[in-house]
Amino acid sequence: MEEKKLDINSIIGFILIFGILLFMMWQNAPSEEELKAQEAEKQAKIDAQKKAEAEKEDTKVVTTEDFTSATDSAQVAALQSKIGAFAYSVATATSSEKEINVQNEVLDLKFNTKGGHLSEVRLKQFVDFDSVPIYIVRDGNSVFNLQFQTTDNRTLNTKDLYFQPTVTKSGANTIVSMKLKTAQDKFLEYQYVIKPNEYMVDFTIKSQGIETDINTSNPITLDWSQKLYRHDQSISYENRYTRLTYQNDGDVDKLSQMSDDDETVDELEWLSYRQHFFSTILVADQPFNNVALRSKNLVEDEEVDSIYTKQFSTKLDLPLSGANLNSNLKIYYGPTDSQILKQYEGNIVESIPFGWGIFGWINKFLFIPLFSGLSSFLPYGIAIIVMTVLIKLAMSFVQYKQYLSQMKMKILKPELDAIREKYKDNKLKAQQETMALQNKAGASPLAGCLPALIQMPVFYALFMFFPTAFALRQKKFLWADDLSSYDVVAELPFNIPLYGDHVSLFPILAAIAIFFYMKLTTGQNQMSAPQQEGMPDMAKMMKYMIYFAPIMMLIFFNQYASGLSLYYFISNLISIGILLVIKNFILDEDKIHANIQVKKAQPKKESKFQRKMKEMMEQAEKQKQMQEQQRKKRK
C-alpha cells in the first residue's frame, strides 16, 4: 500500500490562510475610543432599565395579595407608603390568605385571615329542600368590614387587610383571636368564643394601643351586609317570611316584607337577618345609635330559580371606650326556632313573627306549647289533626251561639216581614218596631256576629303559627313531603299566575270542605236574615261567596304550608259535623219558638244603649224630614 505523505504546498497554504485571518482580525479590532463608547452605551442601557423599574415600583398599586409577600425592607417601605403603620401586620404575616376551621356539635365555622371575619358558616344538623347542607355564610355572600381613618390621613377597610390568627381553649370553649397589628403590643382584635352545642357565638371588637395610629376623632364605621341564600322549595313563600327584624328601645319592628326598604334607628338592641327558618342575629351588649338598616329584594322573577332571596345591610358607628374600641356582641347562626331562641337573653325570640298583640299571645302561650306537647309523642301530621279537634271543640260553644241566633231570626222572619210591610212608608217606625221585637225575643242580629268575631283572633293566630312553626320543617305526612311547604301531587308543564306550576291536594280538600260548610250555613242565613231596605242584597252576595271563598282557598294556599291547609281541611270537616249535631240533636225549633213567645210576653226594660240608639234614629229621621221639606220649598 502506498504511504500518504503531507504535501509541502498544502502546509504553506494553511500558513498563509492563518496569517491572513490574523491580519484581518487585527485590522477590524475596535480602537480604544470605540471600546469606551461601547461601554458607555451598555451602562446607559442598564441605567435606563433601573430607572424604568423604579418608576414602575413607584406607581404600583399595592393590593392585599401583595401584602404578605413583603419580605425585604424595600417591600415593607412600599407597604408603609400605602397603608402606614398597619404594614406591620402584613410584613409579619406568614401567608397571603388562610382559613381557620373551628367546629362544635351544631356549627362548622371558617374564619378568614383576610378581613378577620367568618367566611363560612354551616349548620351541621340541617339540609335544604334538595338535601344540600345549610350554609348561612359562604362564597362571599357576607361582608363584615370596619372602615376608619388613620392619623396620617388614610382611609382603610379591614376587609382588605390581613389579621393574624390564634386559636386557644378555655375549658370546653374555643377562642379564636384575629389581630390586626401595628406593633407587637398594638392591635385591633376580633375575638370569638365558640361554646359546646351552642348556636350563639360571643364576639368582641376591641383595640389596644392603636390610638396613635387610628384617628379616633372620626367615626369607626361597622358595615355588615349579607345576601340570604334560598333554602325552601317555594321562593315566593320563603321570601314572604324573609325579613330584617330589629328591637330598639324595647319595641320590635321590621323592614318591608317584599319591597326595598331602609330605616335609621336609635337604641338598637338586636337585629335579625331572618331567612324564614334560619337566622343571623346580632345582639349588642350596649344599644347602638344612628343605625342605618337596609333591605333589598333580590328575587326579580319568582318563576326562575334564584340563589338569593334578599340582601340586608347594617351601618353603624362603633363607640369608643376612652381611646380604644371595646364592643361586646353576640352573633346567633341557627334555626328560627322558638324553642331554641327563647333560651337566650335579649328577647330575640321576638324576631319570629307570631303576630301582633293578642294574636302573638295566643300563639306563644297556647298554640306553641300545645303543639309542642302533642308532637312530643304523636307524628306531626296527627298532632295537627288532634290540635285542630281540641281547638274546634273548645270553640264549639261559639258555633252553637251563632247557629242559635240564626234559628231565632228564622223564627221571627214572618213577624219582621209583617212589620216592614205595615210601616213601609215610615222607615223610622219600622226600624224601631223591629228592634223592639228582637229585643223582647232575645234575637238580636249582633248575637250572631259576635261569636264570629270571637273566632277571628284564633283564626289569625293559627294563620301566623303554621308558616313559622320550625318543628314542621321537613316533616312528612301522607303524600306531603314537608308540612312546612306545599304538597305536590302533580307537576304542571307551565306556570299559572298566582297558582303556580304544581297541584297541591290539601288546598283542594280544604276548598271542598269550605264549600259544603258555607252551603250549610249560607242557607240558614238566607232564611233568617230578611232583606233590609237601602242595604245590599246579602243573600245574593252570599251566593257568590259560596264559590268565591273556596276558589280563593284553592289559589292562595297552593303555595302555602301544607300543614296550614291540613288544618283548614280538618277544621271545616269538624265544623260541618258540629253544625249537624247542633241542628239535629241539640236545638229544637219548637222549643226555641215557645221560649221566644214567653220572652215577648214578659216586660222588657230598654237598656241605655237601646235608648241611645232609638234617640239617634229619631234625630236622623227628623233631620231627613227637614231636608225633604226644604227641598220641596226650593222647588
Side-chain angles (χ1 to χ4, degrees):
M1 176 180 292
E2 184 177 3
E3 184 179 357
K4 290 185 178 180
K5 295 182 180 180
L6 186 61
D7 187 2
I8 187 65
N9 293 326
S10 298
I11 294 174
I12 295 172
F14 282 123
I15 292 172
L16 289 173
I17 292 172
F18 181 71
I20 293 170
L21 290 173
L22 288 176
F23 177 75
M24 291 178 64
M25 290 174 64
W26 176 76
Q27 281 290 107
N28 294 325
S31 63
E32 185 176 352
E33 290 77 8
E34 289 176 332
L35 288 172
K36 289 181 180 181
Q38 289 177 0
E39 185 67 25
E41 184 179 357
K42 182 178 179 181
Q43 187 63 41
K45 288 182 180 180
I46 293 173
D47 294 340
Q49 185 176 359
K50 288 183 178 180
K51 183 179 180 181
E53 289 177 352
E55 290 176 352
K56 183 178 180 181
E57 183 67 26
D58 288 341
T59 58
K60 180 182 178 182
V61 177
V62 181
T63 64
T64 53
E65 284 72 19
D66 301 318
F67 288 173
T68 54
S69 63
T71 56
D72 59 35
S73 58
Q75 289 173 317
V76 172
L79 282 172
Q80 288 176 339
S81 70
K82 296 293 181 180
I83 59 175
F86 288 91
Y88 176 89
S89 186
V90 176
T92 55
T94 58
S95 63
S96 60
E97 189 169 348
K98 183 179 179 181
E99 285 189 328
I100 310 300
N101 184 230
V102 175
Q103 300 185 39
N104 63 10
E105 291 80 0
V106 294
L107 294 175
D108 184 0
L109 308 174
K110 289 184 180 178
F111 301 86
N112 200 314
T113 55
K114 182 179 179 181
H117 200 58
L118 284 155
S119 59
E120 188 170 291
V121 176
R122 179 173 68 88
L123 304 184
K124 299 170 71 171
Q125 298 180 354
F126 303 101
V127 295
D128 68 8
F129 72 99
D130 207 20
S131 299
V132 175
I134 294 291
Y135 286 92
I136 303 296
V137 177
R138 194 184 191 189
D139 296 335
N141 73 311
S142 179
V143 177
F144 192 95
N145 176 58
L146 294 188
Q147 185 179 86
F148 55 88
Q149 281 193 329
T150 63
T151 51
D152 52 1
N153 204 31
R154 308 170 195 274
T155 300
L156 298 181
N157 294 283
T158 56
K159 66 179 181 179
D160 297 326
L161 302 174
Y162 289 92
F163 289 66
Q164 295 182 28
T166 57
V167 180
T168 57
K169 297 289 286 188
S170 176
N173 299 337
T174 302
I175 300 175
V176 178
S177 172
M178 292 284 184
K179 290 184 178 180
L180 182 64
K181 294 185 176 182
T182 59
Q184 183 61 34
D185 57 348
K186 299 168 64 178
F187 52 82
L188 169 67
E189 181 183 16
Y190 294 164
Q191 186 180 95
Y192 308 84
V193 180
I194 298 93
K195 301 174 183 178
N197 206 36
E198 287 278 354
Y199 292 103
M200 188 75 79
V201 176
D202 291 348
F203 176 48
T204 303
I205 304 174
K206 59 184 178 180
S207 64
Q208 176 179 302
I210 59 173
E211 61 273 13
T212 58
D213 304 313
I214 293 181
N215 185 354
T216 55
S217 63
N218 290 323
I220 300 175
T221 303
L222 167 61
D223 196 347
W224 175 39
S225 67
Q226 186 170 312
K227 294 180 181 179
L228 281 75
Y229 283 111
R230 171 200 176 186
H231 299 307
D232 291 355
Q233 187 175 13
S234 171
I235 300 174
S236 59
Y237 183 60
E238 180 179 26
N239 210 21
R240 190 178 297 118
Y241 294 96
T242 298
R243 298 185 74 174
L244 193 158
T245 308
Y246 59 91
Q247 178 171 293
N248 64 311
D249 199 20
D251 296 326
V252 177
D253 208 343
K254 308 173 184 68
L255 295 190
S256 176
Q257 187 176 40
M258 297 305 294
S259 60
D260 296 350
D261 194 13
D262 60 83
E263 190 72 49
T264 301
V265 299
D266 290 323
E267 296 295 319
L268 181 76
E269 296 162 5
W270 56 258
L271 63 92
S272 170
Y273 291 176
R274 186 181 78 239
Q275 176 68 5
H276 195 185
F277 284 129
F278 300 97
S279 296
T280 303
I281 305 174
L282 179 68
V283 184
D285 182 52
Q286 296 294 326
F288 291 113
N289 290 315
N290 194 32
V291 183
L293 305 173
R294 182 178 293 275
S295 172
K296 182 179 181 181
N297 186 19
L298 301 179
V299 179
E300 298 180 359
D301 188 350
E302 294 180 347
E303 298 178 17
V304 179
D305 285 346
S306 176
I307 298 176
Y308 305 108
T309 52
K310 287 187 174 75
Q311 180 176 13
F312 298 144
S313 61
T314 302
K315 194 170 186 178
L316 57 90
D317 294 338
L318 291 176
L320 292 172
S321 177
N324 288 303
L325 291 170
N326 190 21
S327 294
N328 296 311
L329 311 170
K330 297 179 185 294
I331 306 181
Y332 174 89
Y333 295 100
T336 315
D337 186 349
S338 61
Q339 300 301 313
I340 295 176
L341 291 177
K342 71 181 182 181
Q343 300 173 11
Y344 297 106
E345 297 178 354
N347 199 36
I348 62 174
V349 69
E350 291 298 327
S351 62
I352 301 175
F354 297 118
W356 56 273
I358 188 173
F359 311 114
W361 298 340
I362 292 173
N363 273 326
K364 285 183 283 187
F365 302 115
L366 178 59
F367 292 149
I368 291 176
L370 175 61
F371 185 76
S372 296
L374 293 172
S375 60
S376 65
F377 63 91
L378 292 174
Y380 285 88
I382 302 298
I384 291 175
I385 294 174
V386 173
M387 185 173 79
T388 308
V389 172
L390 294 175
I391 292 171
K392 293 303 293 183
L393 289 177
M395 300 296 293
S396 60
F397 78 95
V398 175
Q399 197 169 353
Y400 169 80
K401 290 288 186 181
Q402 193 171 10
Y403 191 79
L404 176 61
S405 176
Q406 292 171 2
M407 187 169 286
K408 287 181 178 181
M409 293 298 293
K410 174 188 174 184
I411 293 170
L412 290 176
K413 186 175 185 298
E415 295 182 60
L416 294 172
D417 289 341
I419 291 173
R420 276 187 292 274
E421 181 62 28
K422 181 178 180 180
Y423 300 104
K424 60 182 179 180
D425 297 328
N426 190 340
K427 294 180 181 178
L428 175 61
K429 187 64 175 177
Q431 291 173 344
Q432 290 176 341
E433 290 297 321
T434 297
M435 289 179 62
L437 176 61
Q438 291 172 345
N439 184 37
K440 286 183 178 181
S444 172
L446 291 176
C449 297
L450 290 176
L453 293 176
I454 293 174
Q455 296 183 78
M456 288 303 296
V458 175
F459 175 86
Y460 182 77
L462 286 166
F463 183 79
M464 297 300 295
F465 167 77
F466 283 100
T468 58
F470 185 85
L472 293 177
R473 185 177 182 271
Q474 297 182 347
K475 300 301 188 300
K476 296 182 178 182
F477 181 66
L478 298 178
W479 56 85
D481 293 329
D482 186 349
L483 285 169
S484 72
S485 184
Y486 55 79
D487 62 291
V488 180
V489 294
E491 296 280 358
L492 300 177
F494 48 83
N495 185 79
I496 301 175
L498 300 179
Y499 185 74
D501 58 359
H502 64 277
V503 177
S504 297
L505 183 54
F506 276 128
I508 295 175
L509 295 175
I512 293 172
I514 287 175
F515 173 78
F516 284 107
Y517 176 70
M518 293 189 70
K519 195 77 171 174
L520 287 172
T521 56
T522 302
Q524 182 69 26
N525 287 334
Q526 289 173 350
M527 289 187 290
S528 63
Q531 171 66 29
Q532 300 284 340
E533 292 186 19
M535 298 295 290
D537 189 346
M538 297 302 296
K540 185 180 291 186
M541 292 179 63
M542 291 305 296
K543 285 182 180 179
Y544 291 130
M545 284 300 296
I546 291 175
Y547 301 98
F548 180 73
I551 291 173
M552 289 301 296
M553 165 65 74
L554 191 65
I555 295 174
F556 186 71
F557 284 88
N558 193 61
Q559 298 194 65
Y560 251 72
S562 54
L564 183 61
S565 300
L566 171 63
Y567 166 79
Y568 285 128
F569 170 55
I570 301 299
S571 176
N572 282 285
L573 284 182
I574 297 172
S575 295
I576 292 171
I578 291 175
L579 184 61
L580 293 175
V581 170
I582 292 173
K583 181 178 180 181
N584 296 314
F585 300 101
I586 298 178
L587 294 180
D588 188 323
E589 189 170 336
D590 293 334
K591 289 183 179 179
I592 294 172
H593 186 271
N595 289 334
I596 288 176
Q597 299 308 316
V598 172
K599 288 183 178 181
K600 285 167 61 179
Q602 295 174 350
K604 188 76 173 179
K605 185 180 179 180
E606 284 186 334
S607 66
K608 291 183 179 180
F609 175 75
Q610 289 170 335
R611 286 198 302 269
K612 189 67 176 177
M613 287 294 297
K614 185 177 180 179
E615 291 173 1
M616 291 174 62
M617 291 170 64
E618 289 175 349
Q619 291 175 1
E621 184 64 22
K622 288 179 182 179
Q623 187 176 5
K624 184 178 180 181
Q625 290 176 356
M626 291 176 60
Q627 291 175 349
E628 186 66 25
Q629 291 174 0
Q630 291 175 357
R631 206 166 29 245
K632 288 180 179 179
K633 288 179 180 179
R634 285 196 295 268
K635 290 182 178 179

